[in-house]
């Protein structure tokens, strides 16, 4: 008998409380400290869903080492300190322990071998959507085949392509009602889709995201006896529909996107959820603009503003004003567009608040500049469009690779159409470099248009290099 067998049978040691982290919290309640963590994350462009439960688990020692996103936030909150100073175990030591446990653990039951438990990543969570050394994350997280079958438990397990699933023991209780664990699975699936899209773009994600969406609505059909859980499931399923709709939208599948946004809007109205309804109208407006229906874009944005006004988020109202501005630009209404842009800037200047939705973490000064650039481009004011697009690319947090590529592509097109072929080619080459990390039909379509505009200027400095490299790039299928 090998020496690993008695070790594997021994119960794991109880976690050691993190007294250093508790001391740093001071007199603040766990909920107050969690709010401070979320604010700090927004300051550096990170996206974390910290709550009082997470803080409690850290202080109890259940989370021995945070994931990379939380690490960046904590080090931003407490400059000059290391993870060890904050009471966490060194990352290398935790990695080694988990590797040894994986080797010593008995084989998983075949029935559950394709999915991991809800807590599998938490004591040592390395699922960092921004780590440049983890480019295979998309295939690692999404490659697992979707489970098939009926019932709420299997539906929840179908979220496993995003690294999410419920405790396998739940399968032994098929008759039990849904609880907070299922709601958390759906909510976390939404976050992971958004993070992967921010980094790599929509094209490689859309087809894989359809099964989790179906699973979320199967959970809704299964029902729950607790009103609060039901509300969370409705909200989570609706947000997931919007996320999947955006993947379809950004990869050029407009009919699919429209269907997903409509599904989210219906879910919001059935659940009486104004925040979800505003989000659905917001994306519907954006889609209508891109699909060449500018009047619908204006009306959807105005509907979103009516719903969102009581929510108390100036930043949300600012984004919705930009959506309206995009519609006015499509209608060639320069006055209406300028008025909506001014309103968007004034609302943005009011700053962030705790009422800002979690999904709006992408919306900062760079996004505001980028959307204004698109408005002026639509109106044919290439000089002004290029100025705002360049500013957007410079301001964008480097974590949002997809958006940097988008703004730079906008800049290249505006420069090309504004009579600056050499500068346009230089910007286009920067986009082509980013497309090794990003898969976006939207950006590829923009670059193709820029290449057509630059063809008559192929002898200008740098233009031929851009055209040759663009022609050699593989096209999205």
């Amino acid at each position: 008998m090998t020496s690993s067998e008695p070790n594997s049978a021994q119960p794991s040691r109880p976690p050691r409380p993190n007294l250093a982290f508790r001391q740093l919290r001071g007199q603040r309640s766990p909920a107050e400290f969690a709010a401070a963590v979320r604010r700090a994350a927004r300051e550096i462009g990170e996206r974390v869903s910290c709550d009082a439960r997470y803080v409690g688990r850290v202080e109890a020692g259940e989370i021995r080492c945070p994931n990379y996103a939380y690490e960046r936030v904590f080090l931003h909150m407490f400059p000059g300190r290391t993870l060890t100073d904050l009471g966490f175990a060194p990352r290398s030591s935790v990695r080694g322990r988990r590797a040894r446990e994986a080797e010593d653990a008995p084989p998983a039951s075949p029935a559950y071998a394709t999915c991991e438990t809800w807590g599998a990543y938490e004591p040592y969570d390395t699922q960092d959507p921004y780590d440049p050394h983890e480019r295979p994350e998309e295939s690692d997280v999404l490659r697992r085949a979707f489970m098939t079958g009926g019932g709420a438990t299997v539906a929840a397990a179908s979220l496993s392509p995003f690294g999410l699933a419920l405790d396998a023991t739940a399968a032994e209780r098929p008759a039990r009602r849904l609880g907070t664990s299922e709601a958390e699975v759906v909510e976390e699936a939404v976050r992971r889709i958004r993070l992967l899209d921010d980094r790599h773009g929509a094209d490689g994600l859309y087809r894989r995201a359809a099964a989790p969406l179906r699973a979320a609505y199967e959970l809704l059909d299964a029902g729950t006896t607790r009103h609060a859980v039901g509300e969370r499931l409705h909200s989570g399923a609706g947000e997931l529909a919007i996320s999947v709709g955006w993947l379809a939208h950004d990869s050029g599948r407009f009919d699919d996107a429209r269907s997903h946004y409509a599904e989210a809007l219906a879910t919001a109205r059935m659940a009486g959820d104004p925040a979800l309804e505003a989000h659905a109208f917001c994306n519907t407006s954006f889609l209508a603009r891109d699909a060449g229906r500018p009047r619908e874009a204006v009306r959807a944005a105005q509907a979103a503003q009516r719903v969102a006004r009581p929510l108390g988020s100036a930043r949300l109202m600012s984004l919705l004003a930009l959506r309206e501005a995009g519609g006015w630009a499509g209608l060639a209404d320069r006055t209406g567009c300028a008025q909506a842009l001014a309103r968007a800037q004034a609302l943005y200047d009011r700053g962030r608040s705790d009422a800002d939705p979690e999904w709006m973490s992408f919306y900062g000064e760079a996004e505001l500049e980028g959307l204004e650039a698109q408005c002026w481009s639509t109106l044919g004011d290439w000089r002004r469009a290029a100025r705002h697009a360049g500013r957007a690319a410079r301001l964008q947090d480097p974590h949002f690779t997809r958006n940097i590529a988008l703004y730079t592509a906008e800049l290249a097109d505006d420069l090309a159409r504004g009579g600056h072929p050499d500068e346009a080619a230089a910007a286009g080459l920067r986009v082509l470099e980013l497309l090794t990390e990003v898969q976006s039909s939207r950006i590829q379509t923009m670059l193709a248009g820029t290449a057509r505009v630059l063809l008559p200027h192929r002898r200008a400095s740098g233009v031929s290099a851009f055209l040759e490299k663009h022609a050699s790039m593989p096209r999205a299928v």
Side-chain angles (χ1 to χ4, degrees), residues 148-306:
T148 57
T153 300
V154 173
S158 295
L159 294 160
S160 62
F162 293 91
L164 302 167
L166 300 182
D167 189 331
T169 59
E172 300 171 4
R173 306 186 299 275
R176 79 174 175 89
R177 287 291 183 175
L178 305 179
T180 56
S181 294
E182 287 83 356
E184 287 172 344
V185 166
V186 176
E187 292 163 354
E188 191 63 18
V190 174
R191 295 186 188 104
R192 294 200 180 189
I193 288 175
R194 289 174 183 160
L195 290 169
L196 289 168
D197 174 54
D198 290 339
R199 186 67 181 176
H200 302 302
D203 286 12
L205 295 173
Y206 174 61
R207 295 187 188 282
R208 298 173 176 89
L213 180 59
R214 288 194 300 271
Y217 278 93
E218 286 181 27
L219 291 176
L220 282 183
D221 287 339
T224 177
T225 57
R226 295 169 58 189
H227 180 69
V229 172
E231 286 188 335
R232 285 183 65 182
L233 282 171
H234 273 88
S235 177
E239 289 292 347
L240 190 55
I242 292 174
S243 292
V244 176
W246 166 248
L247 297 178
H249 179 174
D250 197 43
S251 56
R253 301 172 174 90
F254 288 174
D255 289 343
D256 289 355
R258 189 176 180 87
S259 175
H260 290 308
Y261 292 160
E263 187 170 35
L265 185 59
T267 301
R269 289 178 166 173
M270 285 188 292
D273 187 339
L276 178 59
E277 185 174 354
H279 192 185
F281 270 130
C282 176
N283 280 43
T284 298
S285 173
F286 199 23
L287 174 65
R289 188 209 70 169
D290 287 350
R293 298 190 297 270
R295 195 168 302 280
E296 180 185 332
V298 171
R299 295 182 63 183
Q302 292 173 340
Q305 290 170 77
R306 287 193 298 272

Side-chain angles (χ1 to χ4, degrees), residues 363-403:
Y363 184 55
E365 191 175 0
E367 180 73 5
L368 186 150
E369 293 284 350
L371 291 174
E372 182 165 354
Q374 292 173 13
C375 289
W376 294 119
S377 180
T378 302
L379 289 168
D381 191 335
W382 312 118
R383 180 185 61 82
R384 188 176 292 189
R387 185 172 72 247
H388 286 284
R391 195 176 299 161
R394 290 192 300 272
L395 290 170
Q396 182 59 66
D397 188 292
H399 291 158
F400 292 85
T401 309
R402 178 261 178 201
N403 281 0

Side-chain angles (χ1 to χ4, degrees), residues 38-39 46 53 59 76 88 124 178 201 246 272 314 362 426 444 455:
R38 295 194 299 272
R39 284 194 296 271
E46 280 294 356
R53 176 176 173 270
E59 293 179 358
H76 171 68
F88 292 109
Y124 171 55
L178 305 179
W246 166 248
F362 72 94
Q444 290 194 359
L455 272 174

